[in-house]
Every structure is written in structure tokens, then in C-alpha cells.
């Protein structure tokens, strides 16, 4: 391979985060999401929230640890299937189904992560892709997933015994709560001593090793955390949409989350949220354009890579010389 | 005197109020299809056009004071996009009926949403016979075809005609498996035998290995239990390997005229399959097809899916006309549609059963040789007609809860 | 013949030969990708889309200009290669010093655009393209009937693969190219126009993809999505072979064809997935790939 003269990496900017900026941004985001149902269709918002959590958890791995996974769809999809199956066939209440499914995704993350972490860079990415394809194959063959028909008519039930999820507004606030929980969890991880070590590993792994840190363990832990949170998103999504299908385990879904994170801003905390909302909005509101949606997505990809590499939030943050 | 004036005024008021309530003559039709991928030629923009043509031909907008809109969207073959659009259409855009929806996974998902919201679902594009079986609802009518009809038609006809040993190339998908299972039933019931089957992954570009296995089995008929690109690739490569020249018959279990057009007659000649519509069958279908092709950007003739959308929307509007107004109650409209026998220029006379299955005759077609065709789209010879009462799954075998046993 | 695990040896030979032919396709397709990655460190996700453009180009040459398959074999790669050079000049060059993954993302976006546009104009069912008369028909090899066209595919791919490998590894031009990737500044000091070499190399890699497209047009339906089915398999081949190694991806392409061929006999449902299993195993055991230099 050549002598690399890399001037720009895909990972987080080096500016130190100002806690006050982040708090303000967080409050604004939460307020916006609370009043959003007055302006937009709640079902679309819930889907966007699930994808936003997916993108944030993905960003945890790529932006803060520097590991670009091409297989994250495997966690989204398998958690979706688990929670759909648990809620429909085993009859568990929704909160248990979601938690169990997220943990299931975490277990898959543990197994796949243990294999993938052993390599770096593009090879890590290719291993995650390969593993994701094998999981896709498994989901295709396993009888409980019903192949391409998917698991349909997943019951929504009552959360914690009394919160009726069939009411769209109630469901929205439950999903919002789950999203905020996940978001805050990620924030906590990034800003903890554990998170500092992850950033150190990203910046200079040999040095971290020389300081005595077992970097593989830290990377694996981050991978599993990311997988579990993605699982949380996937499990919630299948309860909201009331079905689980193969599209969520397909490799193009892994590509979509990269697109969302790229558009929003790799390595920014709020970037993936913005990116997810934009991409989901495009898919829904441009559905009337039918054949041009893929082309538009492609154009956005190209434009972002050529001119807006920091993503929307990244560019805004750069403009104000802050870190978001 | 006063009392009669009062009564008169009251009567007038009541009449005015009553007619105001009964005046909802707004209808919104949503054509939900795959606009950008595998099924866009089978349904896609053509289905939207078919719906629009049906609205014009119904006569309801011209003189009877109805306001009917047709909107469309792309479900991109993803069930969550499909259900998301369906919900938005019902909750926000006041859509009353969804038509088309190819892709069985999306169709089943949308089917549930339609039932929850008590709207109407007229499916023309999907093949899954579950829509009138395990997943039947009082809000859904499955219009054009289903896997049972295709399997039954092609399976029985070919077996009875001498092709009594079969080998299947099946797409490793629930749909492919269903097609294979239904055809196997039809074949064995007609006295034939299945010598073997091989399951290939979806979107396989190369079928040479599977075709070789089929050739080695020496079965008289090779059944292609797959669709779209897989079928066309398999057919093209079968021609390359000289399969039909050496005496084996190729039976495509799901084929549309758009596929034949894409293959070209050289590759597709001799293919035998079942469909429920062909544009060149009679004067009425020809008239519709010419109007349709003139409006289509690609100049393509209508597929049976697109014809089904036309027929379904026409009958739906007839039912609304009979009811006098839009009752905003999907099950009620569907019940009316089931009550009225159907009669349209494309499918002729037919009925809709209690399980939501639209009944009309099916036809066994064979693709012409290049020399026999007089021009583009002149592709089929009609080999047999399967009468309406034999074409679809008998009610006695249905697992639908709406069917009273 | 002795039945081996439920299949006669005769039939097995037939399947292996077919697998080898498919392997020739994989080798040719991954060759372009390997050239682009090995020489330029660009992960070209648009490879599948450009393969498809090559096939469509052959269709247009036949139906609009009356130029048959043999002309298409030469003209189509030139045209699409030219398109590749434009892409490199206008877009990829701007990503020169950045993380390689940006190149991947950009080319992924390009693939979406190209495929989307073609789909809008040509629908999804595809267009017919016949096998050229000179190569039609087949020969009975005893254990199977081999269409002549398939025999041509394997011979032609081998020739192109070996010629490319020879050119890059054994000629002066190839040496300059390899040096330019290793140390552009030094090579520039010798007076060699490095950016132009990069553009030409990308164009060459893309031309190879288009060539594979023309080769595929008579046997696979010419459809806008024909490349999308292939692309991640081709990536896997390059990764398994070793991302810098031309010879690696050629040999892996053929090997994969064989392995897939066997899988199609014994466990056909998995024939699309077996390549990923192999990729995962290879990456874990020998991370640089079978023939690659150290990661």
C-alpha cells in the first residue's frame, strides 16, 4: 500500500465540546420534538426517531471510536424480528419485548464484534459486511421470520400494563422517551472516562496500548453498546410499524445509516438526528416523485462528500466555532 | 295553518340536513406501487394511468357531481415505507381506497392497515393467495390473479397435455415456495410427478448450473417458480443451453407481457404460462390498450396488473354510485361491491366472492415464434381457457373466516 | 459413473466447468476493481453501475448504430472508460488526500445516480440482446452441452486478465504506475504527470468493467439493476484476493466461481452467501487476503 498522506479523517472534530452549548442544543431539540406532532404526521415522526437512534448509535462507533461498520443493519433487523416475534408469538408486553430484543442484538454484537475487532480499517468494515450478509441469509431461511412476507400484525398492547400504545399520540411520546433515553445514554458514554479512552484509541491506538489499556476490550465494549442501542431502535421500530421485514437486515440499510450520519455530520452528537430526519422525510414526502428518489439520494451523497463533508450540523457548528 | 307551516318548515329543514349529510361525493384513490424497481413495468406508473382512465370512463365526474382524485406513491418494495404511506394517506390525505400494491410482503402489511382504518384495498399486483385465505378481511378484494390460479392453470393444463414429469427451479423466497407448492398440488392432482426441485437465491444472475440439473433430471417440464429478473435470466439462458430444442418444455409460473417484451421473441418463444388478461383478446381490450399505450411514456401495452387496476376502480366507482355517496366506511363499500356482479370491457363478466376473491376466467398462453408475430406486443397465442369457476381456489378449501361453512 | 454424494461424476464435471465460467466473469469484473484499488486506493462502488452502462452501450451500438457485438467489445469500454476519466477528473481528484472511505461514499452515491437515471428511462425489465451469430450454438462435450458463447467467455476473460496482469507487473508503464502510487512526489520529480496517470488508470479500470458488461449482455438480461446484484460479491473477491493484488483477484475470481458452482449443487440456497463466509474466514486468518501485502 502507499504512503498515506491523509489530511482529513472521517472521525469527530478535535474541538472540545462546550457543555453549555450541548445543553442548549439538547433542550432545543427536545422541545422541538415535543411540539412536532402538531406540525407533522406522528407516524412519520416515530419512524424518524427510530432511525435517529439507529444513526446515533452507529455514529458512536464510527465518529468516536473510528470504526466504520458496513453491517449495522444486522442489529436493527434482528432486533426487529426478535421483538416482533416475542410480542406476537410469545405474547410478552411491549416493554419486555423491546428490552429482550435489544439485549439479543447486544449478544449478536458480542459475537460479531469479537470476530470483527481483530482487524482494522477497511478490513474491519468488510468483516462486518460479511457477517451482516450471513445474518441476512439466516433471517431469510429461518421459518420464524416468514421470509419476505415478514412478521405481520405485531400487537402493540399496553406498556407497563396501562399505557395504551394503540393511541398514536401516546405511542409517540413513548417512542420519544425511548429515543431520549438512548440519546442520553450515548452522550453519557462519550463523556465518561470510558469515552475518553475510546477517543484516545481512535487518535493513536499504539500509544493507548503502550499506556497499558487493553484496547481490544474497549473497542469490543463500544461495539456491543452500539449494537444494543441499535437493537433498541430496531425493536421499537417494529412495534411502531407493526411489522418486521427483510429490508431492515439488507445491506442497503447499512448504507442508509451511513448516508444519514454523513448528511447530518459524522462525529457530531446531533448530526445523526438531523440526518435521519432528513432522509426519512425524503423517503416519505418524495414518494410521490417515485422514480427519482434514488437519484436524489445519490446526488445528496455526492454533494455531501464533495462539499459538505462535515454534514449539516458539522457545518453549522464550524460556522459558530462550536462543537455540537 | 301555523302548524302546517311549521311542519312544512321542519320537513324542509330535515330534508336539507339529510341531503347535506348524504352529499359526500368526494373520493380519493391512492395508487401505491413499485415505481422505481422490479415491478415498475408490471404496475408502476401504468397502474396510476389505469386508475385515471377508469375514473374518466366511469362517468361519475362528468355529469353526476362527484369529485374524484387519483394520487400515487412509490413503496420501494419496503413494507415500512408502504405502511407509512398508507397510514399517512388515510389519516392526513383522506384517501379512501388503495389500489395495486405489487410485492406480497408490502401487500400483506398494507392489508392490515386498511383493515384497522376501515378503508378499501383493491389489490391487483401481488400474488400471495393469503390475501383471500388466512389474511382475508372485509375490506380487501384481491382482483387480478393469485399464485393458486397461476399454478393451477399452468400446472394442470401442461400435465394433462402430456407434460407429466416436472422439475422446479424455485426462488428461495416465501413467494417462490408458495408457487412451487401450489403447482405441485395441481400437477399431482392431474396425474403427474415432480422429479426434483432446486432452490436458487433471489436475484441470481446465472442459472446455468440449475438449468443443467434440470436437464439431467430428464423431466418433461421445467417449472420456473420465480419472477421478474430471475425468470427472464432463466429463460434466456435456457435458450442458450438448448433446453427447449432438446424437447423439454419451459413453464414460467409468473410472467407478464412486459417480461416477454424485455426478452424478445427469440428467447421467449414457446413459453407457456397463465394470465387473466391479454390486450389483444377482443375488440374491447384492444380499444382500451390503444388508448393506454398512447398515454404511456414508453408506449407499452397494459399488463394484466394494470388492466386489473382499471377494472377494480371502475367497479368500485359503480358501487359508490349505487350507494349514492361516499359512506366513509370501507367494509360497507366492499360489501356493495361483492353484491354487484362485475362487467367491464377488460375481464368480461365476473363476481366477487365472500372471501374477497374476484372471479373471472384465466387463460393459458403460449409465446409466439418470431415469424408468427405481426409486430411489437403481438406475442401470445391463446392455448386454452380456464372457466371462472375452476380457475381459483374453491371456497370449500378456503381458510378465510369470512366464508360461512 | 460413480455417484459422488448423490451426483454423478459426469454431472459434477459439468457443474465445475460452469462454475469456472462464472469465475471468469468474477475475475474480469474484479480485475477493474483491483486495478483501481491497488493503484489508486479508491474503493470504486460505482463499478457495478458502470458494468451496467457498458452492457447498455452495447445494446445502443447494436440498435441505434447497427454496430454488432464485435464492435461493441472495443467501443463500449472506450466510451465508458472516457466517462470514468471524466468522473475521476471532476470528482475523485478532489478527494485525493482524504480518508479512503470518502471515495467509497462518493462512488456509492454515483452508483445510485447512474442506476436511478437508467431505471427512469428504461424501466426495470430490461432489453433483449442476442448472442452474436458467430458464437451461437454449442458443442456436446460428452458430460454436458457447452454453449459456444460460454467457452468464448472463459477464453476471452483469461486473455484479458493475463494481459492486464502482465502490463501492470511486468512493463515499464506498469512500473511507473506502481511507483506513482507508492510515492507520488518522488515520481513527479522524475517528470511524470502523476494526476494524468491516475485519471487514465481509473478510466482503464472502468473500461474493464464495461468490457465485462458487454460480455454479459448476451447471456444476462440487460437491466439497470444488473450491476447492483454483483457489486458486493465482486468486492468480496477483491478483498479475499488481497486488496493490492491483481493476480490475487484473478485467481480468487476463478476459485470463487468453482466454490459457488459446488455450492449450487449441494446447498444451492447458500450460493449467494458462501462468498461472504469465505471472506470472513480469510480476513480472520490472513487479513491481507490470500495474495495481498500486509494490511
Amino acid at each position: 500500500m502507499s504512503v498515506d498522506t491523509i489530511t482529513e479523517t472521517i472521525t469527530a472534530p478535535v474541538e472540545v465540546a462546550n457543555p453549555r452549548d450541548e445543553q442548549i442544543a439538547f433542550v432545543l431539540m427536545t422541545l422541538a420534538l415535543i411540539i412536532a406532532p402538531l406540525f407533522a404526521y406522528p407516524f412519520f415522526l416515530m419512524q424518524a426517531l427510530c432511525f435517529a437512534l439507529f444513526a446515533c448509535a452507529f455514529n458512536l462507533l464510527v465518529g468516536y471510536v473510528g470504526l466504520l461498520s458496513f453491517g449495522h443493519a444486522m442489529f436493527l433487523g434482528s432486533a426487529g424480528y426478535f421483538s416482533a416475534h416475542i410480542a406476537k408469538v410469545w405474547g410478552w408486553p411491549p416493554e419486555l419485548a423491546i428490552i429482550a430484543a435489544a439485549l439479543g442484538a447486544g449478544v449478536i454484537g458480542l459475537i460479531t464484534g469479537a470476530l470483527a475487532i481483530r482487524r482494522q480499517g477497511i478490513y474491519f468494515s468488510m468483516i462486518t459486511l460479511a457477517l451482516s450478509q450471513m445474518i441476512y441469509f439466516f433471517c431469510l431461511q429461518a421459518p420464524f421470520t416468514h421470509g419476505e412476507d415478514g412478521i405481520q400484525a405485531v400487537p402493540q398492547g399496553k406498556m407497563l400494563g396501562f399505557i395504551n400504545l394503540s393511541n398514536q399520540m401516546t405511542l409517540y411520546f413513548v417512542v420519544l422517551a425511548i429515543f431520549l433515553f438512548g440519546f442520553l445514554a450515548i452522550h453519557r458514554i462519550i463523556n465518561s472516562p470510558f469515552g475518553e479512552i475510546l477517543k484516545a484509541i481512535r487518535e493513536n491506538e499504539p500509544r493507548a496500548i503502550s499506556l497499558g489499556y487493553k484496547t481490544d476490550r474497549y473497542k469490543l465494549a463500544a461495539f456491543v453498546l452500539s449494537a444494543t442501542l441499535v437493537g433498541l431502535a430496531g425493536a421499537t421500530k417494529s412495534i411502531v410499524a407493526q411489522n418486521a421485514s427483510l429490508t431492515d437486515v439488507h445491506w442497503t440499510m447499512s448504507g442508509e445509516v451511513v448516508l444519514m450520519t454523513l448528511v447530518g455530520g459524522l462525529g457530531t452528537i446531533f448530526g445523526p438526528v438531523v440526518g435521519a430526519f432528513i432522509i426519512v422525510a425524503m423517503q416519505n414526502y418524495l414518494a410521490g416523485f417515485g422514480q427519482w428518489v434514488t437519484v436524489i439520494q445519490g446526488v445528496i451523497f455526492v454533494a455531501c462528500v464533495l462539499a459538505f463533508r462535515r454534514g449539516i450540523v458539522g457545518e453549522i457548528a464550524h460556522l459558530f466555532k462550536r462543537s455540537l | 295553518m301555523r302548524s302546517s307551516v311549521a311542519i312544512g318548515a321542519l320537513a324542509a329543514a330535515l330534508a336539507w340536513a339529510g341531503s347535506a349529510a348524504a352529499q359526500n361525493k368526494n373520493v380519493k384513490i391512492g395508487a401505491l406501487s413499485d415505481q422505481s424497481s422490479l415491478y415498475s413495468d408490471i404496475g408502476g406508473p401504468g397502474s396510476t394511468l389505469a386508475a385515471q382512465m377508469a375514473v374518466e370512463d366511469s362517468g361519475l365526474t362528468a355529469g353526476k357531481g362527484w369529485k374524484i382524485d387519483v394520487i400515487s406513491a412509490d413503496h420501494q418494495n419496503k413494507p415500512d415505507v408502504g405502511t407509512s404511506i398508507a397510514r399517512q394517506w388515510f389519516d392526513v390525505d383522506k384517501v379512501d381506497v388503495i389500489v395495486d400494491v405489487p410485492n406480497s410482503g408490502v401487500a400483506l402489511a398494507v392489508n392490515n392497515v386498511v383493515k384497522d382504518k376501515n378503508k378499501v384495498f383493491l389489490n391487483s399486483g401481488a400474488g400471495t393467495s393469503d390475501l383471500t385465505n388466512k389474511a382475508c378481511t372485509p375490506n380487501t378484494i384481491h382482483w387480478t390473479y393469485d399464485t393458486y390460479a397461476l399454478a393451477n392453470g399452468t400446472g394442470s393444463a401442461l400435465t394433462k397435455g402430456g407434460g407429466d414429469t416436472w422439475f422446479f427451479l424455485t426462488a428461495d423466497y416465501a413467494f417462490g415456495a408458495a408457487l412451487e407448492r401450489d403447482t405441485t398440488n395441481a400437477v399431482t392432482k392431474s396425474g403427474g410427478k415432480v422429479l426434483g426441485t432446486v432452490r436458487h437465491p433471489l436475484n441470481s444472475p446465472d442459472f446455468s448450473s440449475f438449468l443443467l440439473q434440470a436437464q439431467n433430471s430428464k423431466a418433461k417440464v421445467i417449472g420456473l417458480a420465480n419472477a421478474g429478473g430471475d425468470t427472464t435470466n432463466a429463460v434466456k439462458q435456457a435458450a442458450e443451453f438448448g433446453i427447449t430444442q432438446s424437447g423439454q418444455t419451459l413453464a414460467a409460473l409468473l410472467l407478464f407481457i412486459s417480461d416477454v417484451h424485455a426478452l424478445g421473441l427469440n428467447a421467449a418463444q414457446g413459453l407457456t404460462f397463465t394470465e387473466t388478461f391479454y390486450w389483444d383478446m377482443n375488440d374491447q381490450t384492444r380499444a382500451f390498450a390503444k388508448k393506454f399505450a398512447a398515454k404511456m411514456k414508453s408506449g407499452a401495452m397494459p399488463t394484466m396488473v394494470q388492466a386489473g387496476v382499471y377494472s377494480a376502480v371502475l367497479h368500485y366507482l359503480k358501487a359508490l354510485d349505487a350507494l349514492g355517496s361516499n359512506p366513509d366506511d370501507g367494509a360497507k363499500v366492499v360489501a356493495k361491491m361483492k353484491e354487484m356482479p362485475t362487467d367491464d370491457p377488460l375481464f368480461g363478466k365476473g363476481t366477487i366472492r365472500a372471501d374477497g376473491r374476484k372471479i373471472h376466467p384465466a387463460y393459458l398462453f403460449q409465446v409466439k415464434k418470431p415469424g408468427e408475430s405481426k409486430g411489437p406486443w403481438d406475442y401470445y397465442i391463446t392455448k386454452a381457457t380456464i372457466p371462472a369457476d375452476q380457475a381459483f381456489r374453491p371456497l370449500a378449501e378456503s381458510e378465510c373466516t369470512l366464508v360461512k361453512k | 459413473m460413480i455417484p459422488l454424494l448423490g451426483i454423478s461424476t459426469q454431472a459434477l464435471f459439468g457443474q465445475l466447468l460452469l462454475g469456472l465460467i462464472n469465475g471468469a466473469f468474477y475475475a474480469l469484473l474484479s480485475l477493474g476493481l483491483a486495478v483501481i484499488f491497488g493503484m489508486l486506493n479508491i474503493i470504486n462502488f460505482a463499478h457495478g453501475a458502470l458494468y451496467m452502462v457498458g452492457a447498455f452501450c452495447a445494446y445502443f451500438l447494436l440498435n441505434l448504430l447497427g454496430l454488432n457485438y464485435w464492435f461493441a467489445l472495443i467501443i463500449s469500454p472506450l466510451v465508458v472508460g472516457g466517462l470514468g476519466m471524466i468522473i475521476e477528473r471532476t470528482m475523485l481528484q478532489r478527494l485525493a488526500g482524504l480518508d479512503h472511505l470518502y471515495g467509497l461514499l462518493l462512488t456509492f452515491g454515483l452508483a445510485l445516480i447512474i442506476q436511478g437515471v437508467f431505471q427512469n428511462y428504461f424501466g426495470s425489465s430490461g432489453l433483449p440482446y442476442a448472442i452474436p451469430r458467430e458464437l451461437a450454438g454449442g458443442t456436446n462435450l460428452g458430460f454436458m452441452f457447452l454453449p459456444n458463447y460460454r467457452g468464448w467467455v472463459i477464453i476471452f476473460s483469461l486473455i484479458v486478465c493475463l494481459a492486464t496482469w502482465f502490463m501492470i507487473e511486468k512493463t515499464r508503464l506498469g512500473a511507473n504506475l506502481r511507483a506513482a502510487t507508492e510515492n507520488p512526489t518522488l515520481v513527479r520529480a522524475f517528470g511524470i504527470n502523476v494526476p494524468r496517470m491516475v485519471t487514465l488508470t481509473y478510466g482503464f479500470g472502468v473500461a474493464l468493467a464495461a468490457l465485462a458488461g458487454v460480455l454479459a449482455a448476451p447471456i444476462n438480461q440487460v437491466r439497470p439493476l444488473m450491476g447492483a446484484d454483483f457489486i458486493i460479491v465482486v468486492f468480496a473477491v477483491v478483498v479475499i484476493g488481497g486488496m493490492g493484488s491483481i493476480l490475487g483477484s484473478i485467481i480468487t475470481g476463478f476459485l470463487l466461481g468453482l466454490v459457488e458452482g459446488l455450492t449450487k449443487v449441494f446447498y444451492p440456497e447458500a450460493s449467494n452467501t458462501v462468498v461472504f463466509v469465505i471472506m470472513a474466514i480469510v480476513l480472520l486468518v490472513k487479513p491481507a487476503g490470500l495474495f495481498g501485502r500486509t494490511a
Side-chain angles (χ1 to χ4, degrees), chain A residues 268-279:
Chain A
T268 60
I269 296 198
F270 293 93
V273 182
V274 173
F277 268 82
I278 292 178
I279 300 299

Side-chain angles (χ1 to χ4, degrees), chain B residues 42-280:
Chain B
I42 298 168
S47 293
T48 317
L49 174 61
Q52 284 161 343
M53 286 172 71
V55 170
E56 283 165 20
D57 291 349
S58 70
L60 288 179
T61 41
K64 300 195 183 174
W66 290 79
K67 181 169 173 331
I68 310 178
D69 291 311
V70 176
I71 60 176
S72 68
D74 182 357
H75 63 51
Q76 298 166 46
N77 288 317
K78 296 181 183 161
D80 19 350
V81 177
T83 44
S84 187
I85 296 173
R87 279 174 205 270
Q88 179 138 0
W89 271 358
F90 291 145
D91 288 342
V92 178
D93 298 319
K94 308 265 176 290
V95 169
D96 299 294
V97 53
I98 289 187
V99 298
D100 197 10
V101 194
N103 188 315
S104 301
V106 182
L108 288 170
V110 171
N111 186 39
N112 285 323
V113 177
V114 169
K115 175 156 167 243
D116 282 342
K117 307 276 178 187
N118 195 16
K119 301 282 182 177
V120 181
F121 187 26
L122 302 173
N123 186 294
S124 179
T128 177
S129 52
D130 279 354
L131 279 175
T132 50
N133 205 11
K134 279 178 278 199
C136 72
T137 79
N139 299 68
T140 299
I141 300 183
H142 197 182
W143 205 267
T144 314
Y145 73 102
D146 62 26
T147 48
Y148 184 94
L150 301 178
N152 198 31
T154 316
S156 328
L158 282 179
T159 312
K160 289 192 190 130
D164 54 4
T165 50
W166 283 63
F167 186 93
F168 284 105
L169 253 61
T170 308
D172 188 24
Y173 234 27
F175 177 76
L179 212 47
E180 183 198 311
R181 180 197 60 220
D182 288 344
T183 316
T184 305
N185 282 337
V187 166
T188 39
K189 251 193 252 177
S190 310
K193 210 169 79 144
V194 174
L195 298 180
T197 153
V198 65
R199 294 227 174 161
H200 66 81
L202 200 69
N203 292 326
S204 295
D206 185 69
F207 283 84
S208 47
S209 161
F210 309 119
L211 287 168
L212 190 65
Q213 292 178 44
Q215 217 171 19
N216 287 338
S217 75
K218 311 265 188 295
K220 294 196 192 136
V221 182
I222 301 177
L224 300 174
N226 49 28
D230 287 336
T231 308
T232 46
N233 269 333
V235 171
K236 199 167 177 178
Q237 288 163 20
E240 199 196 331
F241 279 80
I243 290 201
T244 29
Q245 278 88 304
S246 49
Q248 287 170 304
T249 312
L250 214 53
L253 291 166
L254 179 57
L255 200 71
F256 299 93
I257 197 164
S258 47
D259 296 323
V260 178
H261 187 72
L263 274 169
L265 285 178
N266 267 318
Q269 56 183 310
L271 267 182
T272 321
F273 52 94
T274 307
E275 277 204 88
T276 54
F277 169 83
Y278 175 47
W279 68 272
D280 203 10

Side-chain angles (χ1 to χ4, degrees), chain A residues 248-293:
Chain A
D248 292 338
V249 249
H250 196 254
W251 64 271
T252 44
M253 180 59 80
S254 298
E256 276 197 33
V257 73
V258 177
L259 177 64
M260 289 177 198
T261 319
L262 182 68
V263 165
L266 280 161
T268 60
I269 296 198
F270 293 93
V273 182
V274 173
F277 268 82
I278 292 178
I279 300 299
V280 177
M282 250 181 31
Q283 276 181 344
N284 274 308
Y285 291 110
L286 291 182
F289 279 94
Q291 301 167 298
W292 293 100
V293 178

Side-chain angles (χ1 to χ4, degrees), chain C:
Chain C
M1 289 256 127
I2 307 157
L4 179 71
L5 292 169
I7 176 173
S8 72
T9 333
Q10 223 180 15
L12 193 64
F13 279 149
Q15 296 290 358
L16 285 176
L17 182 58
L18 286 174
L20 213 57
I21 296 171
N22 274 330
F25 250 114
Y26 286 138
L28 191 59
L29 210 49
S30 55
L31 189 63
L33 205 62
V35 166
I36 293 175
F37 187 81
M39 301 285 107
L40 308 176
N41 273 321
I42 297 171
I43 304 163
N44 185 29
F45 225 96
H47 216 68
L50 293 163
Y51 154 85
M52 177 265 290
V53 175
F56 267 88
C57 202
Y59 174 84
F60 288 129
L61 287 171
L62 182 64
N63 288 302
L64 292 180
L65 296 175
L67 296 169
N68 68 14
Y69 175 81
W70 304 102
F71 287 104
L73 272 180
I74 302 174
I75 299 179
S76 176
L78 286 174
V79 168
V80 182
L83 177 67
M85 291 200 280
I86 296 175
I87 293 176
E88 206 283 328
R89 231 336 132 76
T90 53
M91 293 187 252
L92 287 167
Q93 226 162 47
R94 299 192 193 191
L95 303 178
L98 307 179
D99 196 317
H100 306 142
L101 294 160
Y102 281 120
L104 183 151
L105 295 174
L106 177 76
T107 49
F108 183 68
L110 284 173
L112 287 178
I113 297 177
I114 297 174
Q115 272 166 201
V117 168
F118 270 79
Q119 203 144 38
N120 276 325
Y121 288 108
F122 301 106
S124 56
S125 315
L127 302 163
Y129 193 88
I131 297 182
R133 241 179 320 114
E134 299 84 357
L135 292 171
T139 14
N140 195 334
L141 294 176
F143 54 90
M144 67 170 276
F145 173 83
L146 179 70
N148 290 337
Y149 190 78
R150 303 256 169 174
W152 157 254
V153 162
I154 198 174
I155 296 173
F156 185 73
S157 303
L158 256 170
I159 296 175
V160 172
C161 287
L162 289 174
T164 310
W165 171 79
F166 185 80
M167 188 190 80
I168 291 184
E169 296 289 328
K170 301 289 177 193
T171 62
R172 175 104 176 250
L173 177 67
N176 283 345
L177 208 53
R178 280 178 287 131
T181 343
E182 294 272 343
N183 200 334
T185 335
L186 197 56
V187 172
R188 227 182 236 144
F190 280 115
I192 297 178
N193 188 338
V194 172
R196 189 188 299 166
M197 290 201 92
V198 169
T199 311
L200 281 170
T201 313
Y202 187 79
F204 177 66
V206 167
L208 283 173
L211 187 63
V214 177
L215 217 58
I219 46 178
N220 284 341
Q221 196 66 357
V222 177
R223 319 171 353 246
L225 293 176
M226 64 192 289
D229 306 333
F230 264 126
I231 185 76
I232 40 176
V233 177
V234 173
F235 263 115
V237 170
V238 173
V239 170
I240 296 173
M243 290 188 90
S245 166
I246 310 287
L247 194 63
S249 53
I250 297 175
I251 296 180
T252 311
F254 279 99
L255 275 177
L256 178 66
L258 278 175
V259 173
E260 238 190 35
L262 285 173
T263 322
K264 282 186 188 173
V265 174
F266 297 115
Y267 189 24
E269 295 90 323
S271 47
N272 268 5
T273 318
V274 68
V275 63
F276 298 105
V277 177
I278 297 176
M279 176 162 86
I281 297 175
V282 167
L283 283 178
L284 290 170
V285 169
K286 197 164 188 286
L290 295 174
F291 294 87
R293 303 148 223 174
T294 40

